[in-house]
């Protein structure tokens, strides 16, 4: 069974399912429901590049979802095809944070890797937060201070409204000087991952926090 769905794509499909269920519960016009199903199918397919015939058949079955039982069955079947986040080993962490002598490897035992687009963990002793991403270039890590906010805000990574905090990272420039850059991100990285429905905000965040421009 070959996986072909990213975590953010699966999250987007889940969100579209919620809209469909709401429509079925509130709309009585069959023509309107047919139109909504068609629009939903097209919106979901747009999130993918080329699909095999079998993969497309799996995705477009979203139009058959009418109630919670249908949704549970559909999503459980699709979940089997979600790419799991790669196993994180000590050498991966050291590669992501080469300037640090020792970084504790985060425990992901209680987290389903299929829910992850990135990983984040806190070092409460130093009040530091570590974020780790898998990009085309390999493992990328960003370390910074983190100050929790008492109010909700928009996270720069998932673009959802959550309880956030100010993440401040030190960026080394080409001249070896340091810049401080800050963005508000989710306090809970697991919740943040579950909110990610597209990669553009995440990629923009990585670029902003690692570029020395």
């Amino acid at each position: 069974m070959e996986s072909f769905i990213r975590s953010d794509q699966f999250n987007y499909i889940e969100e579209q399912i919620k809209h469909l269920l709401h429509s079925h519960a509130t709309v009585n016009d069959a023509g309107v429901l047919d139109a909504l199903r068609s629009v939903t199918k097209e919106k979901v397919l747009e999130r993918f590049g080329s699909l095999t015939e079998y993969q497309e058949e799996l995705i477009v079955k979203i139009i058959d979802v009418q109630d919670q039982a249908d949704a549970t069955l559909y999503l459980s079947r699709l979940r089997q095809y979600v790419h799991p986040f790669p196993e994180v080993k000590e050498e991966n962490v050291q590669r992501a944070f080469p300037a640090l002598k020792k970084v504790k490897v985060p425990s992901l035992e209680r987290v389903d890797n299929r829910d992850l687009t990135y990983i984040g963990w806190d070092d409460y002793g130093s009040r530091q937060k570590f974020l780790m991403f898998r990009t085309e270039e390999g493992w990328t890590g960003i370390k910074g201070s983190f100050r929790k906010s008492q109010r909700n805000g928009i996270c720069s990574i998932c673009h959802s409204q959550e309880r956030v905090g100010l993440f401040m990272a030190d960026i080394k420039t080409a001249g070896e000087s340091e810049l401080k850059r800050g963005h508000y991100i989710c306090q809970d990285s697991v919740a943040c991952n579950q909110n990610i429905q597209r990669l553009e905000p995440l990629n923009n965040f990585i670029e902003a926090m690692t570029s020395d421009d």
Side-chain angles (χ1 to χ4, degrees), residues 13-32:
I13 292 172
E14 277 193 305
E15 185 65 22
Q16 295 308 306
I17 290 286
K18 291 177 184 177
H19 295 321
L20 269 183
L21 294 181
H22 177 74
S23 297
H24 278 287
T26 58
V27 177
N28 294 319
D29 190 305
V32 173

Side-chain angles (χ1 to χ4, degrees), residues 30-162:
V32 173
L33 287 173
D34 284 342
L36 288 171
R37 282 193 289 264
S38 179
V39 169
T40 299
K41 180 187 74 172
E42 294 305 319
K43 287 169 67 175
V44 170
L45 286 176
E46 284 175 0
R47 290 301 178 104
F48 293 85
S50 58
L51 294 171
T52 67
E53 183 178 345
Y54 177 69
Q55 290 168 349
E56 185 169 336
E57 285 178 359
L58 284 172
I59 296 295
V60 300
K61 285 187 181 296
I62 192 170
I63 64 174
D64 297 331
V65 174
Q66 299 186 38
D67 55 32
Q68 188 59 56
D70 291 339
T72 300
L73 184 61
Y74 173 76
L75 290 171
S76 65
R77 188 177 185 191
L78 278 193
R79 191 166 177 78
Q80 302 175 69
Y81 296 91
V82 176
H83 295 294
F85 193 80
E87 181 183 359
V88 179
K89 300 180 180 179
E90 186 174 349
E91 56 263 33
N92 303 139
V93 179
Q94 289 302 141
R95 226 175 258 125
F97 300 96
L100 303 181
K101 290 184 178 179
K102 190 172 183 180
V103 182
K104 184 178 179 181
V105 180
S107 174
L108 299 175
E109 293 180 359
R110 298 183 181 180
V111 181
D112 189 332
N113 281 18
R114 292 173 297 184
D115 291 333
L116 300 177
T117 301
Y118 77 96
I119 58 172
W121 69 98
D122 299 284
D123 182 339
Y124 295 104
S126 63
R127 294 185 179 180
Q128 298 283 307
K129 181 179 279 288
F130 294 83
L131 306 175
M132 194 165 158
F133 315 90
R134 180 69 176 175
T135 66
E136 292 181 359
E137 290 74 31
W139 291 101
T140 297
I142 304 174
K143 174 185 73 74
S145 62
F146 189 68
R147 189 176 67 210
K148 293 182 178 180
S149 170
Q150 298 304 311
R151 295 184 296 179
N152 288 359
I154 300 298
C155 170
S156 294
I157 294 177
C158 68
H159 272 204
S160 294
Q161 186 161 335
E162 287 282 356

